[in-house]
Amino acid sequence: MLDHVTVRASSTVLIGREAESSALRDALKRARAGEPGTVLMGGEAGIGKTRLVEEFSRYAKADDVHLLTGQCLQLGEEGLPFAPFASALRDLLRRAGPGVFAGQERDFAVLLPELAPAGPEPAADATRGHLFDLVGRLFERIAAERPLVLIMEDLHWADRSTRDLLAFLIRSARSQRALLVATYRSDELHRGHPLRPFIAELDRVRGVQRLDLERLDRDGTAQILADLLPTPPPASLIDNVFDRAQGNPFFIEELAACAEENASCDLPDTLRDILLTRADQLPDSAQRVLRIAAVGGNRVAHQLLATVSGVPDEELEEAMRAAVLAQLIVADPDGGYEFRHALVREAVHDDLLPGEHARLHARYAAAIEAAPDLVAAGRAPAEIAHHWHAANERPKALTAALQAAEHAGQRYAYAEQSGLLNRVLELWEQLPNPTELSGLRHLDVLERALWAAVEAGDYMRAMKLTKAALAEVDREAEPLRTARLLERRGRLFQTFGKSDGVEQFREAYDLAARVQDPWERAALLADLGAALALSDRPAGARMAQEAGELAESLGDTALQVYTALTTGRVYGRSLPVEQGLADMRKAVEMAADAGDIAGSARALVNLSDLLCEVGRYAESAEVAERGLADATRVGIRRSKGAFLLANLAEALVALGRWDEADIRAAETARLDPVGAHALLWLIPQAVVRLARGQTGAAELLGRALHYLTWPYLVASSRLPLHTLRIDAALAGIALAGEPLEAASAALADPVLPGEPRYAWPVLAAAARVPGGDDLTARIRTAAAALPAVHPAEFAYAAQVAAALTEGAAALPAWQAAVAAWRLDGQPYQLARALTSLAEAAAGAGDRATAADAIAEAGAIAATLDAVPLRDELATLARRLGLRAAAYPANAPDLLTSREQEVLRLVAEGRSNRRIAEELYISPKTASVHVSRIIAKLDVTNRVEAAAVARRLGLLSDAQG
């Protein structure tokens, strides 16, 4: 997908620096108000200091300031004195002419010789004070005219004279409207670097602010890749680049330039040369030890390094001290060494000679085998397998990988287990006697690899493994194994839309009769019933019932849990709500009592889904959160965890907590669910962004609606896509087609009558489409045959009835629909019903009811940031001659309760990281909340947000 494409060298957008940008802008505002300041911006090479300064410079120029920039030169401590100031003043001379120096050109010739070619030699130390005063008064004159921003880049290369002049300017600044921004590389500041005490001293000066640029997180990495690459980057590529670049923007850009579809690439030569520059400057003995350390991984314990290297302690410590001083290695307080950058380790490792590479990896493997405590607890099997494989010792690599895979499975590390078993399968073809070495058949390894891939959520790999395993299995001799493989293949066919899986499930059911073990037969029937019910509910129900009866007769608690889950899923709608919920809660309790954490997670998937269906949205969200914790704990976050995240997002959408829903959908996307499972995040994210009218909604819709072309897609996915398509068509999004076309296709879908939960929203969306009598008749016919059991279904049914009602009866019909939505509790659906109520009331001449409905709906739309609905209400208000303030922008409920909590902390000056710590949320979530608050309050930064909030009284509740 990414082969042979042109990739831009650097990103065009500034990513992950919102807090730092805001701090710079705030500093400029203070300077404009007469409060001079200094910002010292530090960060490692490639972290984005220059990019941030460029962005700030554009902002400052647009803000009508004098902008001067100076660059320190890499000439050493005794290099060209005052070089950055000379550069800045030369730029000033070019723009303003010699007159800016107020007749003192000869004095300034010390810095700019071109002002007086025959002038004096550079000033001696005795005249430094006069020179410093000249520069200070020049900047003061400039700042009196317009605010001055002076940017000094690469301060780590500054000579002593430059540092002294900077210190003078910072300390002597009083009231001039000036801001100085200086950048430096923190990874250049070794212990004896002269800038270290300089910065420490400035820290105590009033008006000096430190900004330390941190590495980007995975989301920031993904955003840079998305900006640079011609197609959306797959999660595997994002993970690979994030693990290797560790959030350094320059490294991310360099790796993006060589990215391939397999999410991996060799280091570009230019980047390799940069990374090895410091290593090449080390003494030979230190370089040799560094190469040995690189073989051990990003982090290596001191004792392990000592054992493998065979270097005496004093010599080893001296070598590592040189690497630490060169900023290549960070010493760990626990007694180990870690490469400052993973890519540095990679470059050093890749620079090994072939024989050296194999020999050192073999020495690591032997050392860890002899003393497993040389590595972190639990890591020995995986480390041994890695090193024997890297050493190309194939027999040892195969047996070690099998042992490590078993150990990984015991720790719920299914992704690691899957990778190890894939390695075993590769080695199997390279060895003459793999069965003798392992004690396993090839089919045994295939099967183990299949289940590990499923638990890890790697369904593409699982699909290939089921095909290979079914080609090897003896169906007559092993009916249970065959049936299990068929059941899994049928599920994978459903996932990838290749078929409905019914053929595989029925073949597996026929084989179940030959399974001798009743426990295994019951578990198999339970799984088959759950899978088949997605396509053939009656047949699936019969299998589920058979499994339940068999489990009951055996009296096995774990098996009863398993079959109860299937029964609850298949029979959910036919049982009374409380009975269905009670049965599922019992299954959760039984799993917990049995210590079956994975079973508990599976049960919580079903329970959270049913709670959402019956309208208990807050409880559904809580249960999904609990299940997600269980899934994460036992390593099934990519499989069952994806469904729990989707359930959580669905509940949050219903509750009107759209920011959180969007974040949870993004979390699901990062799990990279394949096939139809991608709809787990595409649907909720598209729903929110469409309702908000956000940029990018059309792209999401296009990706989601593509699945409507699949001939095999379960109803729970297919029908929400129809609803989404109709809403998108009504919103005028071209790719959704005409509204009438979208509604007609939805009503013609044969799965519609059997799924009331998902069919009612389809009918409600279709009822909004102007289509004449034929469309109305088809909606009436479908609605008449569709049962309504739960609150949302009743509300949708009332909404459909109201939409099809005309004349005087429309007003009471919409009042009934509004009442039904109040009972259900979904704010957005309530706001939509209120909008229609306002139209009906206006048509009936009831302006008071119309005004009240518009005001309430507008407040909800503002809280949700549902821009299209808010605009629709504004148009309606104008058409009815109502005041635009019918839904005031300063309503107390403009912000959600969570946003008010965040805003209170913003007003107290807390950073996103501190906000995240106090509210127990991620920094990314805090950043999203802050951005949303700024947008809602129509301000440009955090300071203005806090000021507006205080003026409008929005903090009173949050502050108690």
Side-chain angles (χ1 to χ4, degrees):
M1 177 173 59
L2 300 177
D3 276 328
H4 312 301
V5 295
T6 300
V7 180
R8 288 200 312 275
S10 59
S11 177
T12 59
V13 294
L14 185 65
I15 291 167
R17 302 301 181 205
E18 295 86 358
E20 292 83 358
S21 293
S22 179
L24 287 170
R25 295 183 182 193
D26 290 344
L28 179 55
K29 287 186 177 181
R30 290 193 296 272
R32 183 179 288 280
E35 183 182 339
T38 300
V39 176
L40 301 176
M41 184 191 305
E44 65 189 22
I47 203 65
K49 301 179 296 296
T50 298
R51 180 74 179 82
L52 179 58
V53 164
E54 288 172 351
E55 190 76 16
F56 174 65
S57 296
R58 282 193 287 271
Y59 171 82
K61 286 180 181 177
D63 201 25
D64 190 31
V65 302
H66 284 293
L67 179 67
L68 300 179
T69 302
Q71 178 80 45
C72 297
L73 305 177
Q74 191 177 6
L75 299 175
E77 172 65 12
E78 301 305 325
L80 188 64
F82 306 114
F85 285 100
S87 174
L89 293 181
R90 188 167 286 113
D91 183 36
L92 179 64
L93 173 63
R94 187 166 49 250
R95 281 187 280 156
V100 74
F101 297 109
Q104 298 175 309
E105 291 88 344
R106 188 173 186 83
D107 292 325
F108 277 102
V110 173
L111 297 175
L112 297 180
E114 61 265 36
L115 290 176
E121 294 295 319
D125 285 345
T127 65
R128 279 161 54 93
H130 175 61
L131 175 65
F132 288 7
D133 186 57
L134 279 175
V135 175
R137 284 190 281 116
L138 170 64
F139 288 161
E140 189 172 348
R141 289 197 307 273
I142 295 173
E145 178 187 337
R146 292 203 314 268
L148 168 66
V149 173
L150 177 62
I151 295 175
M152 297 276 120
E153 291 204 71
D154 294 326
L155 205 58
H156 51 280
W157 289 330
D159 62 284
R160 177 178 176 179
S161 298
T162 295
R163 293 195 301 272
D164 289 346
L165 179 50
L166 273 176
F168 172 81
L169 294 174
I170 292 169
R171 293 176 185 278
S172 63
R174 291 293 180 265
S175 60
Q176 66 256 43
R177 299 184 299 166
L179 172 65
L180 183 132
V181 179
T183 71
Y184 63 92
R185 291 183 186 173
S186 55
D187 53 345
E188 292 278 358
L189 305 190
H190 53 78
R191 186 169 301 169
H193 197 290
L195 193 63
R196 288 174 70 101
F198 178 78
I199 291 175
E201 186 68 25
L202 289 182
D203 267 342
R204 296 194 289 269
V205 178
R206 180 181 176 184
V208 174
Q209 180 181 2
R210 288 275 294 275
L211 282 183
D212 296 316
L213 270 60
E214 304 290 341
R215 297 176 184 179
L216 300 178
D217 58 13
R218 185 187 181 280
D219 286 344
T221 300
Q223 290 178 58
I224 290 181
L225 291 174
D227 179 56
L228 291 175
L229 299 175
T231 58
S236 55
L237 174 61
I238 297 170
D239 289 338
N240 179 277
V241 172
F242 178 62
D243 289 342
R244 297 169 73 192
Q246 295 180 311
N248 183 292
F250 173 72
F251 293 166
I252 296 169
E253 291 170 352
E254 289 294 306
L255 291 178
C258 70
E260 299 177 357
E261 184 177 0
N262 63 2
S264 180
C265 69
D266 294 332
L267 284 176
D269 290 340
T270 53
L271 180 56
R272 186 190 309 278
D273 292 343
I274 292 171
L275 294 168
L276 290 176
T277 298
R278 290 185 186 176
D280 291 342
Q281 294 172 354
L282 292 174
D284 289 345
S285 59
Q287 289 189 45
R288 184 168 58 253
V289 172
L290 191 68
R291 289 196 296 271
I292 299 172
V295 175
N298 286 335
R299 187 189 181 283
V300 60
H302 174 85
Q303 193 56 49
L304 175 59
L305 182 59
T307 302
V308 173
S309 67
V311 174
D313 282 348
E314 289 186 6
E315 186 178 334
L316 176 64
E317 290 169 358
E318 190 63 29
M320 296 311 290
R321 185 185 305 280
V324 168
L325 290 174
Q327 300 288 317
L328 293 166
I329 293 287
V330 177
D332 191 321
D334 296 331
Y337 307 103
E338 183 174 358
F339 280 83
R340 185 175 290 276
H341 289 292
L343 283 181
V344 171
R345 188 211 70 82
E346 185 178 331
V348 174
H349 180 267
D350 291 351
D351 207 38
L352 294 171
L353 297 173
E356 187 181 23
H357 177 276
R359 184 176 65 256
L360 289 175
H361 275 289
R363 283 162 63 177
Y364 267 100
I368 298 170
E369 279 186 334
D373 59 346
L374 287 174
V375 295
R379 289 300 304 164
E383 294 286 340
I384 293 167
H386 163 70
H387 288 298
W388 281 131
H389 183 257
N392 205 28
E393 294 279 355
R394 292 173 185 170
K396 292 180 179 180
L398 184 139
T399 55
L402 279 171
Q403 293 171 3
E406 182 178 358
H407 183 71
Q410 292 168 354
R411 295 185 294 111
Y412 309 116
Y414 296 116
E416 182 179 333
Q417 182 187 33
S418 177
L420 287 162
L421 290 170
N422 288 339
R423 181 186 299 166
V424 171
L425 290 171
E426 292 173 4
L427 291 167
W428 199 277
E429 306 299 327
Q430 303 169 16
L431 292 167
N433 57 345
T435 299
E436 294 177 21
L437 283 169
S438 65
L440 298 171
R441 293 186 296 162
H442 188 252
L443 178 61
D444 297 329
V445 182
L446 280 173
E447 195 174 37
R448 291 186 186 185
L450 166 62
W451 304 131
V454 169
E455 293 293 6
D458 188 357
Y459 298 117
M460 291 287 288
R461 179 66 178 166
M463 178 72 90
K464 296 176 183 177
L465 291 167
T466 55
K467 182 179 180 180
L470 282 167
E472 289 190 23
V473 70
D474 186 334
R475 301 187 181 216
E476 294 299 321
E478 298 181 283
L480 175 61
R481 172 176 270 180
T482 306
R484 277 296 180 190
L485 291 171
L486 285 167
E487 178 260 334
R488 178 50 55 188
R489 190 152 180 82
R491 286 179 179 269
L492 290 168
F493 277 167
Q494 288 179 334
T495 299
F496 291 103
K498 294 183 176 293
S499 82
D500 56 10
V502 170
E503 179 183 343
Q504 286 73 29
F505 301 143
R506 288 177 176 165
E507 185 179 352
Y509 178 73
D510 292 340
L511 288 168
R514 296 171 46 203
V515 175
Q516 299 298 314
D517 188 329
W519 195 101
E520 294 285 5
R521 186 165 68 253
L524 172 62
L525 290 171
D527 286 338
L528 287 171
L532 185 57
L534 295 173
S535 303
D536 187 344
R537 188 178 290 272
R542 287 193 297 272
M543 290 186 193
Q545 184 176 0
E546 187 177 342
E549 291 171 354
L550 184 54
E552 189 72 25
S553 69
L554 293 173
D556 186 287
T557 301
L559 187 59
Q560 287 176 308
V561 170
Y562 209 75
T563 56
L565 292 176
T566 302
T567 303
R569 179 185 298 176
V570 175
Y571 284 100
R573 286 193 64 86
S574 60
L575 296 174
V577 171
E578 293 305 327
Q579 181 183 340
L581 290 172
D583 289 347
M584 287 195 177
R585 288 193 173 100
K586 180 180 178 182
V588 173
E589 292 172 5
M590 292 168 69
D593 292 342
D596 183 4
I597 301 173
S600 173
R602 284 192 294 268
L604 292 170
V605 171
N606 295 337
L607 179 56
S608 62
D609 184 58
L610 181 57
L611 285 166
C612 193
E613 181 177 4
V614 303
R616 300 186 184 181
Y617 306 117
E619 191 176 354
S620 171
E622 292 172 4
V623 168
E625 288 272 21
R626 175 183 164 192
L628 189 59
D630 283 348
T632 303
R633 182 178 171 188
V634 296
I636 55 175
R637 187 180 177 89
R638 285 200 67 205
S639 49
K640 292 300 178 186
F643 290 94
L644 287 158
L645 277 167
N647 289 353
L648 177 55
E650 183 180 6
L652 292 170
V653 169
L655 289 167
R657 291 158 58 181
W658 287 1
D659 290 341
E660 296 172 67
D662 192 73
I663 290 167
R664 291 302 193 173
E667 283 185 47
T668 314
R670 286 196 291 273
L671 298 177
D672 200 21
V674 297
H677 290 174
L679 292 172
L680 295 174
W681 68 270
L682 278 170
I683 289 177
Q685 199 163 67
V687 164
V688 169
R689 296 191 180 184
L690 176 63
R692 282 180 160 167
Q694 289 178 318
T695 303
E699 179 187 349
L700 282 172
L701 286 162
R703 295 177 65 181
L705 296 181
H706 165 74
Y707 288 90
L708 280 175
T709 65
W710 283 25
Y712 300 100
L713 190 65
V714 297
S716 59
S717 296
R718 190 170 196 83
L719 293 179
L721 287 176
H722 279 305
T723 304
L724 193 57
R725 182 189 176 193
I726 297 170
D727 286 340
L730 287 167
I733 295 179
L735 60 85
E738 293 298 321
L740 183 57
E741 174 192 359
S744 297
L747 293 171
D749 198 312
V751 303
L752 189 74
E755 296 290 341
R757 175 182 180 180
Y758 304 105
W760 277 116
V762 172
L763 297 186
R768 295 174 56 211
V769 175
D773 295 339
D774 179 62
L775 180 63
T776 298
R778 293 174 66 189
I779 295 172
R780 288 189 193 277
T781 301
L786 204 61
V789 177
H790 305 308
E793 295 169 0
F794 281 120
Y796 275 120
Q799 181 174 323
V800 170
L804 302 181
T805 301
E806 298 178 351
L811 180 56
W814 277 112
Q815 287 172 327
V818 166
W821 281 119
R822 290 193 196 282
L823 185 63
D824 175 73
Q826 295 189 50
Y828 182 68
Q829 300 302 337
L830 173 60
R832 291 226 61 93
L834 284 164
T835 303
S836 296
L837 172 61
E839 292 175 336
D846 188 347
R847 289 175 57 83
T849 298
D852 289 344
I854 289 174
E856 184 179 357
I860 295 172
T863 300
L864 297 175
D865 198 25
V867 175
L869 179 57
R870 192 174 62 194
D871 293 344
E872 182 181 339
L873 287 160
T875 300
L876 179 59
R878 286 195 300 271
R879 183 160 57 85
L880 298 178
L882 299 174
R883 292 186 304 109
Y887 49 102
N890 61 345
D893 56 356
L894 177 64
L895 304 180
T896 65
S897 57
R898 171 63 86 185
E899 287 169 345
Q900 290 190 40
E901 290 181 289
V902 173
L903 181 56
R904 174 176 56 81
L905 295 173
V906 168
E908 293 175 4
R910 309 294 174 84
S911 66
N912 288 351
R913 189 177 300 279
R914 290 293 304 279
I915 292 171
E917 291 172 355
E918 294 207 21
L919 299 182
Y920 301 100
I921 57 179
S922 71
K924 179 66 176 177
T925 302
S927 175
V928 170
H929 280 312
V930 171
S931 298
R932 187 67 61 195
I933 290 166
I934 288 172
K936 286 184 177 182
L937 296 181
D938 194 23
V939 294
T940 59
N941 57 48
R942 300 159 68 98
V943 175
E944 290 182 6
V948 171
R950 289 192 180 93
R951 189 168 67 249
L952 299 180
L954 293 177
L955 295 181
S956 55
D957 292 338
Q959 292 174 326

